[in-house]
Amino acid sequence: MPEINRSINSLGSGFAAFLTPPPEDVIRFTVGQPDFRTPEPVVDAAKLALDSGLHGYTRSQGSIELCKAVANHLQKYDVSYSHEDVLVAPGCKQALLYAMMVCLNPEDEVLLLAPAWPSYDAMLKLVHAKPVHVKVHRHDYHPDFEAIEQAITPKTKAIILNSPNNPTGAVYFPDEIKRIVNIAQRHDLWIFDDMIYADLVYSDHPYLSPASLPQGKNRTVTIGGWSKIWAMTGWRLGWIAGPGVVMEGVKTCQANSASHVPTFLMPPAEVALSLIEEPRQMFQDFEKRRRVFHELLSEIPGLKAPMPEGAFYILVDISETGMDDITFANRLLEEARVQVIPGSLMPHGENLVRMSYATSIENITEGCKRIRKWLELIMP
Ligand SMILES: Cc1ncc(COP(=O)(O)O)c(C=O)c1O
C-alpha cells in the first residue's frame, strides 16, 4: 500500500474521547454548542430558499448580499471591510484553515495562548506550521506578556487570538489587545482573530477587534461565524475578512475546495444577522447560567475558578482535590454521572477541567449537587 501523509497521525482528535454521548442519566457539561433551536425566522428563510429553487452553483465567495451583511455586522465592532474582502466559508473552522493556508509556510511558528481550543494545534500541523503554546496566567487566564515575548523567535509568523475564549472564558482587556497588536507590529506577525464568541461578553469590558486599531488592520484576519449566538452549529457557516492580498488567497482556497457554502443557506444566514430579539434572549440565558454555575461551583471545597467573562465555559482548577484532571473526569463520570472535559487534552491545561454551561439551569444545579456530594464522599 502507498504511504499516507506522514504528519496526519500526529494530529490530535481534540476533545473527542470525552464527547461521546453518555447514557441518559449523565449530566453533560461537555458540549460546546447552544442547547437552543436555531431561531424560527432563519429556518423559515432556508425552507423558502429551497422552495424557490436556489439549488445550483453560485458566487464562490458567498452572495454579494450576504457578504455585505457580514461587512455590515462587523461594523458593530468598529471594523470596516469592503464586502469584496469578505468570504463565507463552511464554518469558522474552515475559515481558520483557509487563513493558515494563505498566511503560513511550512515550519512557520504560530503562538497560541494556552490552554487553547485544540483544533488550532491540529490545523496548524495540517498546514505543516508549528504551534507554540504560551501559557496564560493561571489566576485569570489572561495573557502573560513576558511569556509571549520569550516565545517569539525569528520563525514566529502569527498569533491566534480568541477572546472571548474557549476553553477559559476570558475576555481580554482592550489594553491587552493593544499590547498584542503592538507585539505583532514589532515582530511583523499576522493576527488570526477568532471572534466566534464576540457577542457573548458578560464583563464590563467589551470584545475589542485588533482590526479596529490602525496598527492592527493590515495584519489581522478576522474569522467568525453563525454557530454560537445564532445557535446554528449544524449549518456550517462562518466568515473570514481581511486585507485584500490575504482575501485573494482565501478566495482561491475556497474556489478550489468547497466552491461555496450551500446556495440555499445564504438567505437564512442573512436573516440571522438581522435578528435582535432572539440572540438577546439567548445571551440573557447564558448570562444567568454563568452566575448560577459559578456561584454553585465556588461553594464546593476543592474547586476554584475565576468568574468567566465571556463565551459559555468555566475552566475549573481541581488541583486541591489531589486528583489529576483525567482521573477527575473519568471518576466523576463513573461515580457521579457528570461529564466534563479534562484540561490536559490541551498543552498547559493540566489540573483544569472545562465545564460548559450550554445547558439548562436545572442541569447545572443537579450537576453541581452531584459533584459536591461526590467530592464530600471521597475527599478527606
Ligand atoms: C474557539 C472556537 N472557534 C471556532 C469554533 C468552530 O466554529 P464553527 O462551528 O463555525 O466551525 C469553535 C467551536 O467550538 C470554537 O470554540
Side-chain angles (χ1 to χ4, degrees):
M1 202 191 279
E3 192 193 19
I4 63 165
N5 180 333
R6 263 176 301 239
S7 55
I8 204 78
N9 290 328
S10 72
L11 310 186
S13 50
F15 299 146
F18 287 82
L19 281 172
T20 322
E24 273 209 357
D25 65 320
V26 170
I27 303 278
R28 276 187 107 181
F29 289 153
T30 41
V31 186
Q33 77 171 337
D35 53 324
F36 303 109
R37 272 176 64 88
T38 299
E40 230 40 62
V42 180
V43 177
D44 290 343
K47 290 178 186 161
L48 193 69
L50 267 179
D51 286 343
S52 70
L54 291 185
H55 302 171
Y57 288 136
T58 189
R59 186 172 183 259
S60 175
Q61 224 178 308
S63 69
I64 291 186
E65 295 75 20
L66 181 55
C67 292
K68 281 187 174 165
V70 173
N72 185 49
H73 175 73
L74 293 175
Q75 296 266 6
K76 200 171 130 182
Y77 315 101
D78 295 325
V79 188
S80 143
Y81 288 111
S82 150
H83 70 276
E84 285 298 338
D85 290 331
V86 171
L87 177 142
V88 179
C92 172
K93 252 182 177 169
Q94 187 85 7
L96 279 159
L97 187 61
Y98 290 161
M100 294 173 191
M101 287 162 79
V102 172
C103 296
L104 304 176
N105 285 303
E107 312 302 325
D108 281 345
E109 294 176 7
V110 178
L111 305 181
L112 300 175
L113 302 185
W117 182 54
S119 290
Y120 299 135
D121 184 282
M123 284 185 209
L124 288 168
K125 288 175 182 161
L126 266 179
V127 300
H128 304 287
K130 188 175 162 215
V132 176
H133 293 263
V134 184
K135 194 172 172 177
V136 294
H137 288 298
R138 266 293 167 110
H139 64 282
D140 63 358
Y141 306 132
H142 279 247
D144 176 342
F145 285 94
E146 218 171 286
I148 293 176
E149 295 277 5
Q150 273 169 13
I152 294 175
T153 75
K155 287 185 169 179
T156 309
K157 188 71 176 296
I159 179 163
I160 300 184
L161 273 185
N162 173 223
S163 168
N165 187 274
N166 175 12
T168 66
V171 177
Y172 303 150
F173 295 116
D175 259 8
E176 292 172 328
I177 301 294
K178 286 178 193 158
R179 280 179 82 173
I180 285 169
V181 167
N182 180 277
I183 291 174
Q185 192 183 21
R186 271 191 285 118
H187 296 276
D188 198 19
L189 310 180
W190 291 111
I191 301 171
F192 301 140
D193 184 38
D194 179 353
M195 42 95 69
I196 191 147
Y197 296 102
D199 285 311
L200 284 165
V201 175
Y202 321 109
S203 55
D204 291 337
H205 57 286
Y207 156 78
L208 178 72
S209 163
S212 69
L213 304 172
Q215 301 84 344
K217 176 86 196 226
N218 283 333
R219 53 182 69 256
T220 298
V221 187
T222 300
I223 300 132
W226 281 261
S227 287
K228 310 294 176 178
I229 192 65
W230 294 283
M232 292 172 66
T233 49
W235 296 60
R236 310 309 306 129
L237 288 167
W239 63 71
I240 173 164
V245 56
V246 174
M247 291 312 297
E248 285 316 306
V250 168
K251 290 175 204 172
T252 306
C253 290
Q254 173 133 301
N256 290 298
S257 54
S259 290
H260 53 73
V261 302
T263 309
F264 64 91
L265 294 189
M266 296 186 193
E270 224 183 300
V271 169
L273 293 177
S274 73
L275 297 177
I276 294 172
E277 188 44 35
E278 292 84 345
R280 199 177 62 86
Q281 187 59 50
M282 290 190 250
F283 173 87
Q284 282 178 351
D285 285 354
F286 282 129
E287 210 280 323
K288 186 165 165 214
R289 294 165 178 190
R290 162 189 90 123
R291 273 185 283 120
V292 171
F293 208 166
H294 186 260
E295 198 176 309
L296 290 173
L297 284 175
S298 36
E299 287 165 3
I300 304 178
L303 304 188
K304 269 204 303 231
M307 179 69 132
E309 298 160 305
F312 38 65
Y313 308 100
I314 300 197
L315 196 61
V316 185
D317 187 327
I318 53 102
S319 33
E320 283 178 18
T321 66
M323 282 175 268
D324 64 73
D325 55 283
I326 301 271
T327 309
F328 182 97
N330 282 329
R331 285 190 64 183
L332 183 64
L333 179 60
E334 276 297 304
E335 298 167 22
R337 316 302 282 160
V338 179
Q339 193 185 40
V340 297
I341 303 271
S344 60
L345 298 182
M346 301 163 279
H348 299 307
E350 302 76 21
N351 295 326
L352 301 170
V353 299
R354 191 195 75 169
M355 303 192 195
S356 154
Y357 46 96
T359 187
S360 66
I361 294 268
E362 292 72 41
N363 280 344
I364 290 168
T365 312
E366 174 60 24
C368 288
K369 206 159 95 189
R370 291 186 191 183
I371 299 173
R372 189 187 182 119
K373 260 176 86 178
W374 172 67
L375 281 176
E376 278 170 1
L377 207 70
I378 65 167
M379 270 173 64

